Amino acid sequence: MVFADEVIRNYITSQGIGQNPDAIAYAAQVHNIPAEQLARVLNVETSAVRDYAESRGYEIPTQTEVFTQTINDAYANQYGREPTDAEFQNAVNFLQTGQGSEAGVRNLYLSLEGYNYDVQDITSAFRQVYGRNPTQDEFVRTASSLGLYRDWE
């Protein structure tokens, strides 16, 4: 997961760790916050974040590591496949704007492909269990119970 810049700023403020570099580095390590993003939020150079973390024994991931894992997981979970090169680059560009992966996943979820994947997944499950397609009511009820229901009007 990639947190939005604003979420990270609010976390640092709400936890009262804004003046404590060790606490910030520890939080970045625990919450998998990329050094590049932390530098952007704190308005410092990325090298300063990396150097400090290294000198104190913290392992803060790179943006590439976090973005790759997050994007691949999102596509696997939303579409059941890996992203194409173009989709991957679009997702990287989106995440570099400082928006979190939650907003990006929402875009995938609300896409036509996301809708089709959910329909196929539910229909396939009904075929395996009951030997038939679900009725419309069964489909909506199942989608709702799985947290997949959207306003499909």
Side-chain angles (χ1 to χ4, degrees), residues 2-23:
V2 177
F3 296 102
D5 288 0
E6 190 61 30
V7 170
I8 295 170
R9 271 189 212 95
N10 290 342
Y11 178 81
I12 289 170
T13 301
S14 71
Q15 297 299 307
I17 60 175
Q19 301 302 316
N20 185 338
D22 278 323

Side-chain angles (χ1 to χ4, degrees), residues 27-153:
Q29 177 179 285
V30 168
H31 297 291
N32 217 28
I33 299 168
E36 296 86 346
Q37 185 178 26
L38 190 56
R40 186 174 60 240
V41 167
L42 297 173
N43 200 27
V44 298
E45 293 294 322
T46 301
S47 59
V49 171
R50 284 197 195 292
D51 292 345
Y52 183 83
E54 263 183 38
S55 74
R56 307 296 282 191
Y58 295 108
E59 294 182 25
I60 298 178
T62 66
Q63 183 168 281
T64 301
E65 293 167 340
V66 174
F67 282 10
T68 299
Q69 181 71 44
T70 300
I71 293 165
N72 287 338
D73 287 351
Y75 271 83
N77 290 333
Q78 292 300 314
Y79 295 159
R81 65 173 176 81
E82 292 182 3
T84 65
D85 291 342
E87 289 168 334
F88 185 86
Q89 189 56 54
N90 286 338
V92 167
N93 294 342
F94 178 83
L95 292 173
Q96 286 176 333
T97 65
Q99 298 183 64
S101 58
E102 224 174 80
V105 168
R106 179 171 169 73
N107 291 341
L108 296 178
Y109 175 71
L110 293 175
S111 72
L112 180 58
E113 186 176 355
Y115 167 79
N116 288 339
Y117 184 75
D118 292 343
V119 169
Q120 290 170 5
D121 201 31
I122 292 170
T123 302
S124 175
F126 262 81
R127 286 180 186 154
Q128 287 175 350
V129 174
Y130 301 113
R132 62 175 175 78
N133 289 342
T135 66
Q136 184 175 359
D137 286 341
E138 289 170 332
F139 178 86
V140 170
R141 194 172 342 142
T142 302
S144 294
S145 71
L146 296 172
L148 301 174
Y149 186 78
R150 338 160 195 223
D151 191 5
W152 291 323
E153 297 175 7

